[in-house]
Amino acid sequence: KAGVTQTPRYLIKTRGQQVTLSCSPISGHRSVSWYQQTPGQGLQFLFEYFSETQRNKGNFPGRFSGRQFSNSRSEMNVSTLELGDSALYLCASSSTGNYNEQFFGPGTRLTVL
Amino acid sequence: DAKTTQPNSMESNEEEPVHLPCNHSTISGTDYIHWYRQLPSQGPEYVIHGLTSNVNNRMASLAIAEDRKSSTLILHRATLRDAAVYYCILVRNTGGFKTIFGAGTRLFVKA
């Protein structure tokens, strides 16, 4: 089975721009979660989608949004980028989205200049 | 949200057992205890999880205290490839994931 894939792997943007990141979960997995990882804040939960619905949400401003498609692929969007949005964005998928293990992708490294 | 407390770092010798502790005094009855590890330049990797009883798998063992306020991840024979940041997290039954990662424990393995 192919693992979780994320595209692009690296991205450079400037302040004020917007960005869309993509995540393809493991085949058959319906839960997709997004995390932001920075040296200062560590791993922080952004949101989780299950069957095209946002089921859980972390404490991030509305500039961070996401969606999930019928094939379980997910995208997250960050509008009006700020320097502090520079981070590794990780996506994780799970089969049922409850207590099961999550499988993480390699992440997208976003740099905001 | 329930939080976990772990030592910032630990050191082990290669081929020796490693016991990584985690405190979760505010754990609720339905919280599962999960452990993940993150190797350099990679996303986190699932290690093991449990609810009340001790658990074993090919990677590690998880020992859970009787009151569930603490747990210990046991690597039976550390290898250099086990050098990573280990995260202990609580997964609550919210009808999905809303996992809170702490700072984790950075494990150094000496040859």
Side-chain angles (χ1 to χ4, degrees):
Chain A
K1 242 183 201 181
V4 177
T5 58
Q6 293 187 245
T7 56
R9 292 293 311 278
Y10 301 91
L11 203 50
I12 299 175
K13 292 285 189 179
T14 56
R15 277 183 302 173
Q17 287 186 311
Q18 75 165 17
V19 67
T20 299
L21 311 181
S22 181
C23 171
S24 293
I26 290 172
S27 177
H29 285 191
R30 295 164 65 190
S31 165
V32 174
S33 298
W34 287 90
Y35 297 84
Q36 180 195 66
Q37 186 171 33
T38 60
Q41 299 295 321
L43 265 162
Q44 293 188 282
F45 173 80
L46 280 156
F47 29 65
E48 184 226 1
Y49 285 86
F50 185 83
S51 294
E52 302 179 67
T53 301
Q54 187 181 86
R55 194 160 59 169
N56 286 287
K57 191 176 187 306
N59 299 321
F60 277 80
R63 299 186 298 106
F64 292 82
S65 63
R67 60 178 177 168
Q68 186 179 35
F69 302 94
S70 58
N71 62 358
S72 292
R73 189 177 70 85
S74 177
E75 289 181 347
M76 69 161 281
N77 183 278
V78 188
S79 62
T80 319
L81 283 166
E82 300 176 359
L83 295 179
D85 297 333
S86 294
L88 180 67
Y89 289 88
L90 292 157
C91 156
S93 77
S94 174
S95 56
T96 65
N98 288 320
Y99 311 116
N100 291 2
E101 63 194 271
Q102 294 184 83
F103 295 84
F104 283 79
T108 294
R109 172 77 60 188
L110 171 66
T111 301
V112 182
L113 302 176
Chain B
D1 295 313
K3 293 184 179 178
T4 62
T5 305
Q6 300 175 253
N8 289 335
S9 66
M10 290 185 65
E11 197 173 87
S12 170
N13 293 317
E14 201 176 10
E15 299 196 4
E16 289 186 355
V18 181
H19 291 232
L20 297 164
C22 180
N23 286 319
H24 29 79
S25 58
T26 60
I27 191 171
S28 74
T30 55
D31 286 345
Y32 278 73
I33 303 160
H34 282 230
W35 283 81
Y36 285 79
R37 72 180 185 181
Q38 188 171 21
L39 279 65
S41 303
Q42 294 187 25
E45 172 189 33
Y46 168 83
V47 177
I48 199 167
H49 78 277
L51 183 62
T52 56
S53 304
N54 295 344
V55 184
N56 299 298
N57 66 20
R58 62 175 182 81
M59 287 183 71
S61 296
L62 176 60
I64 301 173
E66 199 169 328
D67 63 4
R68 301 209 326 127
K69 293 185 185 299
S70 66
S71 61
T72 302
L73 178 71
I74 302 164
L75 306 179
H76 296 287
R77 287 182 65 200
T79 70
L80 296 178
R81 290 182 300 174
D82 291 323
V85 178
Y86 286 79
Y87 296 98
C88 164
I89 62 173
L90 301 181
V91 180
R92 180 159 289 177
N93 180 14
T94 62
F97 283 104
K98 188 176 180 181
T99 50
I100 309 298
F101 281 80
T105 296
R106 184 172 295 278
L107 176 65
F108 296 93
V109 180
K110 297 186 297 183

